[in-house]
Amino acid sequence: MRMSYEDKEAVRAEPARRPTRSALPAAGLAGRPSEMALLALQRAAGNAAVVQRMAGPLSVQRATLIIRPSTTAGGIPAGTISGVSGLRNRPPSNLHGSQGQHLTAYVVFEDAIRSAVVGRTPQDAATALIAYLTELRALPGMTTPSARYLDPYLDAAEASLVAAENANASAARDIVGAQIDEILTIRNHVPGTAQRGVGGGHGEGNSAGIVREVERNRRAGADFPSTWGTDDAIADQVRHMMWRLLDYDPPPTATPKTVTAVLITHYRSLWSAYPYTFDWLTAKNRLLRKYLIDHHGEPGLPLRRWTVADLKPIFDDVHAGL
């Protein structure tokens, strides 16, 4: 059963509820440092550094957290994160050597990071990102044997973020910035994120911008501007854009199981990036499933080659798997 937004926020706010995992990756990694070197590093820098040294970073860049210098007029406290700058360009994909055709747009992964950290202190942002790592571990692609090489990187990122939870604000800011880039790189390597073929994009940035604006409004609990139209019109527009953020038209030879996994991954990615909007649509019974079926075959929407009759049982499986 999919968690409510309140349940999800509770997970992010309560580190004790996280699934426990080994602090160290499995043995047998190439280039693993010696036991004496690990012990020396542990004494010097702590367990987080040991795990990072063993796994080796996927990313060497660092995002920058923008910190509010003073309390805002709306009561948002000083020291919380107002935004993230310097996000890396789209990293290599799970295809190892090519980008291929991206399915859920990369900008959704960036928005999931913003959703996790904005409005929080750097230490609380670390807690929220640990919860996001738990969400990544549960994606369908992470259940495959080919995903196991990512486990050490996930463990290393989590260990660093645990250190950030207990650091001062300045140190936590630096750690979280570095781990944002690492997490985005890990996310883009999850099996099933891209498939063989030629990508091209079709205005994903504009589509995400519209969804992001609705999310900002829902998060603030404000009324929609009258110029946006009725709630029903806004719900239709945001669902249209959410589906445009999935570039996926599988061939007729694709299996229902494969399509189900892609759709579950897309739903969960949207839920991580736009939780308030997702909950608003659900409360209004404006479901993504119904919109796609009602508008099946329209330009810019996914799954055009599959019939409505084929899609309906797939969506039943998708909803059962969320």
Side-chain angles (χ1 to χ4, degrees):
M1 179 180 296
R2 185 173 65 84
M3 290 190 297
S4 69
Y5 182 77
E6 290 78 11
D7 289 339
K8 185 174 179 181
E9 286 298 284
V11 171
R12 287 179 168 171
E14 184 58 57
R17 292 179 58 186
R18 295 195 306 270
T20 57
R21 294 183 61 85
S22 170
L24 297 179
L29 296 174
R32 177 170 162 168
S34 69
E35 182 178 354
M36 291 301 295
L38 287 176
L39 290 173
L41 180 61
Q42 185 173 23
R43 286 192 294 269
N47 287 332
V50 174
V51 179
Q52 187 69 30
R53 175 68 177 86
M54 291 184 74
L58 288 180
S59 172
V60 295
Q61 299 179 319
R62 174 172 295 177
T64 300
L65 304 181
I66 303 170
I67 307 295
R68 293 183 178 92
S70 58
T71 300
T72 68
I76 302 175
T80 55
I81 300 164
S82 62
V84 184
S85 66
L87 290 176
R88 64 170 304 169
N89 294 329
R90 180 176 154 190
S93 74
N94 57 286
L95 299 179
H96 305 294
S98 67
Q99 290 288 2
Q101 180 187 9
H102 220 261
L103 303 181
T104 298
Y106 179 71
V107 67
V108 176
F109 308 161
E110 295 178 329
D111 284 346
I113 295 294
R114 295 187 183 97
S115 177
V117 306
V118 169
R120 292 182 165 92
T121 65
Q123 295 94 330
D124 288 343
T127 303
L129 287 174
I130 290 169
Y132 180 60
L133 291 177
T134 300
E135 295 167 18
L136 292 191
R137 296 183 195 271
L139 291 175
M142 288 300 297
T143 67
T144 63
S146 62
R148 297 286 62 82
Y149 82 97
L150 290 174
D151 286 341
Y153 300 103
L154 286 159
D155 289 341
E158 183 170 333
S160 293
L161 291 168
V162 169
E165 288 180 303
N166 300 294
N168 62 44
S170 178
R173 178 183 181 180
D174 289 343
I175 295 170
V176 169
Q179 291 311 308
I180 282 173
D181 286 315
E182 184 76 354
I183 291 168
L184 285 171
T185 303
I186 293 169
R187 176 62 188 88
N188 216 46
H189 279 78
V190 171
T193 296
Q195 64 181 11
R196 298 291 176 188
V198 179
H202 52 278
E204 293 91 343
N206 290 336
S207 298
I210 291 172
V211 182
R212 197 180 301 131
E213 197 62 30
V214 174
E215 176 72 8
R216 188 178 295 116
N217 177 279
R218 294 295 83 204
R219 188 179 288 266
D223 292 333
F224 289 124
S226 59
T227 55
W228 289 12
T230 66
D231 281 10
D232 286 345
I234 294 168
D236 281 349
Q237 184 178 31
V238 77
R239 286 185 294 170
H240 183 85
M241 296 308 171
M242 282 179 161
W243 279 122
R244 282 185 60 82
L245 290 169
L246 176 63
D247 185 14
Y248 185 54
D249 196 15
T253 54
T255 67
K257 182 178 179 179
T258 300
V259 178
T260 298
V262 170
L263 290 177
I264 288 175
T265 300
H266 188 60
Y267 269 64
R268 290 183 180 176
S269 299
L270 293 174
W271 169 244
S272 296
Y274 316 110
Y276 283 84
T277 303
F278 211 108
D279 276 357
W280 175 72
L281 290 171
T282 302
K284 290 183 68 66
N285 200 30
R286 297 296 188 266
L287 304 180
L288 288 175
R289 164 188 183 155
K290 186 176 188 306
Y291 186 88
L292 187 66
I293 288 175
D294 288 348
H295 297 266
H296 183 258
E298 290 186 6
L301 298 183
L303 300 165
R304 291 183 299 279
R305 286 198 291 254
W306 282 58
T307 68
V308 169
D310 288 333
L311 289 176
K312 284 184 176 179
I314 286 174
F315 273 114
D316 289 340
D317 290 340
V318 169
H319 282 260
L322 292 177

